[in-house]
Amino acid sequence: MDDIDSAIVRELQRDARQTNRELARRLGIAPSTCLERVRALRARGVITGYRATVDLRALNRPVQALLTIRIRPLNREVIERFKAFLVSLPEVLNIYVVAGGDDFLVHVAVPDLDRLHTMLMDSVFKRREVVDCRSSVIYQHVANDVIGPLTV
Amino acid sequence: MDDIDSAIVRELQRDARQTNRELARRLGIAPSTCLERVRALRARGVITGYRATVDLRALNRPVQALLTIRIRPLNREVIERFKAFLVSLPEVLNIYVVAGGDDFLVHVAVPDLDRLHTMLMDSVFKRREVVDCRSSVIYQHVANDVIGPLTV
DNA sequence: TTTGAAAGTTAGACAAT
DNA sequence: ATTGTCTAACTTTCAAA
């Protein structure tokens, strides 16, 4: 991971569909060199994939919320089973398994508050391992899409 | 947004770098048609960008945490100023402005717990609008990268 | 809107350094 | 590791349906 690798990672986070030639031109290296670097970064697992990002409003899911969930008993099996359950819910965008008082933080996107309520009542609350669940509507979500190495 | 558009959005979320020909072949349409559809989705703002995803461990940021922050006074100016401050922190991945008891949920990634502690003490706690901050280490983070329309 | 065909660009392989 | 060259594959335009 030298400076060129860092720059490639930064540029491809900014725009994953720019051509290899364009990328090489920006970095001041030959296209074949650039291609080799990108492949190596992918092979080493530094770059894990390329994804289109979408507007949740355009997909009719303008309402976002964060669910704070506690489950019991806290053992591996119950945690893994509940996590798998969350993954299976189409409303779910992100699942954070956290330390501290709460066990799960779940980021969801739904068409409206009705659908959030319905999802909570028909899916989440029915799970017997759930002992507590609070939900907070998200007013705004800002994502930092370009993650760089931290300067020490 | 017909079925073909939905399929395009789904496929490009899965792999944003597949060729237009490949994408067209999967959908059973002509490459020129496919190109036109993708361009329209981008122009309409359904697809907002194309981003490489990275392994946080490979970027030397293996420790993630969620900060729950309350600020006062709660008015637009203070909220916006604090949000801008958070955006400026390189450790920050996601900022959720939420309803309910807490005001901000901040997703951060750092090299180690020392850096988390340092960041909290030297940056966050020094802000006079911060009246409360709890931090939870994230054991696991699962992202649903392919967001589809919700079937009713 | 969708398409096939033509023209212009690019990716990817490879031998040389 | 980096590069220039080459060929196959691809993107993009456009006239026609």
Side-chain angles (χ1 to χ4, degrees):
Chain A
M1 277 299 275
D2 57 11
D3 287 352
I4 293 179
D5 280 345
S6 292
I8 290 174
V9 170
R10 173 168 39 76
E11 272 300 317
L12 288 179
Q13 285 182 93
R14 197 183 57 70
D15 178 9
R17 294 206 90 179
Q18 59 187 307
T19 66
N20 181 62
R21 290 181 98 88
E22 170 78 3
L23 183 59
R25 193 190 55 73
R26 281 181 200 274
L27 306 185
I29 58 179
S32 41
T33 308
C34 189
L35 191 65
E36 180 56 33
R37 290 267 195 162
V38 172
R39 275 207 275 238
L41 287 166
R42 190 81 170 86
R44 276 157 50 204
V46 178
I47 293 173
T48 55
Y50 303 98
R51 313 204 169 272
T53 53
V54 298
D55 179 9
L56 290 171
R57 270 163 296 225
L59 294 185
N60 190 33
R61 296 169 67 168
V63 175
Q64 296 179 58
L66 275 169
L67 315 180
T68 308
I69 300 176
R70 292 204 314 144
I71 62 172
R72 288 295 179 276
L74 265 190
N75 60 53
R76 178 185 291 272
E77 197 191 343
V78 171
I79 291 174
E80 288 303 319
R81 185 150 37 85
F82 187 67
K83 198 174 69 186
F85 157 72
L86 290 174
V87 168
S88 79
L89 296 180
E91 293 90 350
V92 168
L93 302 187
N94 288 284
I95 303 167
Y96 301 95
V97 186
V98 294
D102 304 310
D103 305 318
F104 284 85
L105 247 107
V106 187
H107 178 201
V108 300
V110 287
D112 47 47
L113 285 176
D114 248 23
R115 175 75 184 235
L116 177 63
H117 199 207
T118 302
M119 186 200 73
L120 287 171
M121 290 191 302
D122 294 355
S123 294
V124 179
F125 294 165
K126 288 203 171 153
R127 303 286 302 190
R128 301 190 55 188
E129 63 268 52
V130 173
V131 295
D132 190 39
C133 174
R134 283 165 296 135
S135 57
S136 302
V137 168
I138 298 173
Y139 293 132
Q140 289 182 50
H141 175 206
V142 182
N144 174 14
D145 295 310
V146 181
I147 305 166
L150 290 182
T151 53
V152 186
Chain B
M1 276 301 274
D2 57 10
D3 287 352
I4 293 179
D5 281 346
S6 292
I8 289 174
V9 170
R10 173 167 40 75
E11 272 301 317
L12 287 179
Q13 284 183 94
R14 197 182 57 72
D15 178 8
R17 294 207 89 179
Q18 59 186 307
T19 65
N20 182 61
R21 287 183 97 89
E22 170 79 3
L23 183 58
R25 193 189 57 72
R26 282 181 200 273
L27 306 185
I29 57 179
S32 42
T33 308
C34 190
L35 190 65
E36 180 55 33
R37 291 267 195 163
V38 172
R39 274 208 272 238
L41 286 166
R42 191 82 171 81
R44 275 157 49 203
V46 178
I47 294 174
T48 54
Y50 303 99
R51 312 203 169 276
T53 54
V54 297
D55 179 10
L56 290 171
R57 270 164 296 224
L59 294 184
N60 190 32
R61 297 169 67 169
V63 175
Q64 297 178 59
L66 275 169
L67 315 180
T68 308
I69 301 176
R70 291 205 315 145
I71 63 172
R72 289 293 178 278
L74 265 190
N75 60 53
R76 179 186 290 272
E77 196 190 344
V78 171
I79 292 174
E80 288 303 318
R81 185 150 36 86
F82 187 66
K83 198 174 69 184
F85 158 71
L86 290 174
V87 168
S88 79
L89 296 180
E91 294 90 350
V92 169
L93 303 187
N94 289 282
I95 303 167
Y96 302 95
V97 186
V98 293
D102 304 311
D103 305 316
F104 284 86
L105 246 106
V106 187
H107 178 200
V108 301
V110 287
D112 48 47
L113 286 176
D114 248 23
R115 175 75 184 234
L116 176 63
H117 198 206
T118 302
M119 186 201 71
L120 287 171
M121 288 191 301
D122 294 355
S123 295
V124 179
F125 294 165
K126 288 204 171 152
R127 303 287 301 191
R128 300 190 56 188
E129 63 268 50
V130 172
V131 295
D132 190 39
C133 173
R134 283 166 294 133
S135 58
S136 301
V137 169
I138 296 173
Y139 293 134
Q140 289 182 52
H141 175 207
V142 182
N144 174 16
D145 295 309
V146 182
I147 304 166
L150 290 183
T151 53
V152 187

